Amino acid sequence: MIEKLSAGTARRMALAAQGFGKARPAAPARRHLLSTIDTLGLLQIDSVNVVSRSHYLPLFSRLGDYPRGLLEDAAWGKTPDLVEYWGHEASLMPRELHPLLRWRMADARAGVGVWKGVAKFLDSHPELIGQALEEIRRRGPLSASELEIGAQKGPGGWWGWSEAKRALECLFWIGDLTTATRRAGFERVYATPQQVLPAALVDAPTPSREDAHRALLTRAAAALGVATERDLRDYFRMGPVESRARIAELVEDGVLIPAQVEGWPQTAYVAAGAARPRKIAARALLSPFDNLIWFRERTERIFDARIRLEIYTPAHLRTHGYYVLPFLQGEALTARVDLKADRKAGRLLVQAAHAEPRADGETPFALAQELRLMAAWLKLSDVSVADKGDLAADLKAALAS
């Protein structure tokens, strides 16, 4: 049986699966944060800090004004619940997912696909790799700047990394090292898994590649609600051939239900038990790297909105701005704002504000409320709107009122 879904039902299912549509907690605590991350499956890490580093923002979008230290403690504190590894991109995720990604660590060691450079460096620098691993085993967790081995500056490529940094990153990608903590400036401190992860996790049996893929696709389906095959495999960045085979097995097992969504050219799959709300009353500013919109093809299909990251676009060619956050109002993306946190002046700068086709008379007021909430969360005292974009004047008026 192939279920038939309207576009609106699919959109509401996707929003509900991503943690939208329910009231934000009055006093967000660690349990709310961990529950949200469990719902999402992972948070993409990005170092761009124009507003806030991106891994903080999906939690703000869903929880509101939560203490940022909650995430830092859960990820890098004395008793962390999260682990870093390559999930979607560089990601924070629940620790129990770590064994499910050992197949990726094996691929990195073998130089499969995108990991050719890792295997090449491992093979060409065995002494350096051995030194790096031995130093951390002997001295405990270390950052690259504390590891005085190899050439101290890379000759272009690899972001100009030193050989020590490259060695540590390769060891991280193959799973011989993990992240112990992060220091000022977001510097990663590396450790062996045995030094920082629970023994039960380190010693957990390695799932077969097939079992791990089924488990990850099941997590992706739960986080997406309704999704095409490409949506599902993109969530944890998996290959097409293996994903299709595992999806077929999950359909046979009743974990996924095939569906035809109005306006979607591809077959979709519904997670068994996925919520089907009749209405979503969300209000959220979305990071460009938010799980809801990070796969641009899916975003366009669900919201009829073309989202593009313009950070690397020359300024004179940008349409909406440098660091643009779409605004989710109810069930629609109704605006986009180019934001910057001016920490020295204590202001949240709206450098441009543009309306989307589904904006209405409430959009500037709802957006103003969310901008004020974000400013408070970032410990900024004011919101300032530049005269750029077709929504700027109305947003200014809403903030003034």
Side-chain angles (χ1 to χ4, degrees):
M1 294 289 293
I2 296 181
E3 189 171 0
K4 293 188 177 181
L5 300 172
S6 70
T9 297
R11 183 168 54 252
R12 290 187 290 275
M13 290 174 69
L15 285 165
Q18 283 283 298
F20 292 106
K22 56 185 179 182
R24 289 166 170 169
R30 187 175 178 123
R31 64 187 175 87
H32 299 110
L33 178 137
L34 293 177
S35 174
T36 301
I37 295 172
D38 190 60
T39 295
L40 296 175
L42 73 167
L43 299 175
Q44 182 175 335
I45 296 171
D46 191 82
S47 61
V48 176
N49 199 21
V50 177
V51 176
S52 170
R53 289 194 172 93
S54 188
H55 40 284
Y56 294 95
L57 287 167
L59 297 169
F60 169 75
S61 300
R62 291 154 179 83
L63 299 176
D65 188 4
Y66 77 97
R68 292 159 61 89
L70 288 179
L71 178 58
E72 292 158 10
D73 191 57
W76 306 297
K78 290 183 179 179
T79 56
D81 291 293
L82 307 176
V83 67
E84 281 190 41
Y85 190 62
W86 203 263
H88 179 75
E89 296 284 337
S91 304
L92 283 168
M93 63 193 84
R95 280 182 163 185
E96 63 265 24
L97 267 64
H98 199 257
L100 295 178
L101 291 161
R102 289 178 185 165
W103 61 272
R104 178 163 288 155
M105 299 171 193
D107 280 359
R109 193 183 298 269
V112 174
V114 298
W115 305 104
K116 287 183 175 64
V118 173
K120 184 178 179 181
F121 190 84
L122 291 169
D123 291 343
S124 61
H125 296 77
E127 186 175 340
L128 182 72
I129 295 294
Q131 280 182 302
L133 194 54
E134 180 55 34
E135 281 290 288
I136 287 178
R137 284 173 176 161
R138 182 175 64 85
R139 295 169 57 189
L142 296 171
S143 66
S145 62
E146 295 171 312
L147 195 63
E148 297 177 356
I149 59 173
Q152 293 304 298
K153 193 67 178 175
W158 286 61
W159 303 281
W161 284 350
S162 68
E163 286 190 337
K165 174 66 173 175
R166 284 189 270 179
L168 292 172
E169 282 295 297
C170 286
L171 287 165
F172 174 80
W173 284 325
I174 67 174
D176 285 6
L177 293 179
T178 188
T179 302
T181 189
R182 293 273 188 168
R183 292 183 182 150
F186 208 52
E187 182 182 35
R188 177 184 277 153
V189 178
Y190 301 82
T192 66
Q194 293 79 5
Q195 287 169 335
V196 296
L197 298 180
L201 187 67
V202 174
D203 298 335
T206 298
S208 69
R209 192 180 186 94
E210 294 76 14
D211 284 347
H213 283 192
R214 277 189 290 267
L216 291 171
L217 287 165
T218 300
R219 290 291 296 246
L224 293 169
V226 55
T228 66
E229 176 265 329
R230 283 197 68 189
D231 297 339
L232 289 170
R233 63 180 163 90
D234 174 77
Y235 209 78
F236 287 98
R237 292 292 167 89
M238 298 162 65
V241 175
E242 290 177 303
S243 294
R244 287 169 191 151
R246 304 292 81 79
I247 288 169
E249 293 163 1
L250 291 170
V251 169
E252 189 171 342
D253 292 342
V255 177
L256 298 180
I257 302 163
Q260 183 60 58
V261 178
E262 176 190 8
W264 292 22
Q266 308 93 349
T267 298
Y269 300 91
V270 175
R276 297 161 190 251
R278 294 185 177 182
K279 184 178 181 180
I280 295 286
R283 193 187 78 200
L285 287 160
L286 301 172
S287 158
F289 306 102
D290 192 289
N291 307 46
L292 179 66
I293 60 170
W294 65 27
F295 188 25
R296 310 310 188 200
E297 176 191 297
R298 174 179 170 85
T299 304
E300 193 163 351
R301 200 184 326 123
I302 290 176
F303 295 107
D304 195 24
R306 193 169 183 267
I307 304 296
R308 293 293 181 269
L309 185 66
E310 297 184 292
I311 287 175
Y312 306 109
T313 303
H316 67 284
L317 295 177
R318 292 178 192 139
T319 303
H320 295 100
Y322 179 76
Y323 198 78
V324 176
L325 281 72
F327 179 55
L328 174 65
Q329 178 189 350
E331 301 170 12
L333 299 180
T334 62
R336 306 184 204 207
V337 283
D338 179 17
L339 297 184
K340 180 178 180 179
D342 185 345
R343 296 171 180 89
K344 188 174 181 180
R347 296 183 303 168
L348 180 61
L349 306 180
V350 183
Q351 302 184 114
H354 293 88
E356 289 292 297
R358 293 192 65 181
D360 58 25
E362 290 299 313
T363 298
F365 298 96
L367 178 54
Q369 283 184 291
E370 199 65 12
L371 288 166
R372 288 216 177 278
L373 184 67
M374 175 175 276
W377 174 63
L378 294 171
K379 310 300 182 192
L380 303 172
S381 58
D382 193 21
V383 179
S384 176
V385 182
D387 295 320
K388 186 174 182 181
D390 58 2
L391 191 61
D394 287 343
L395 180 58
K396 269 187 179 182
L399 284 162
S401 68

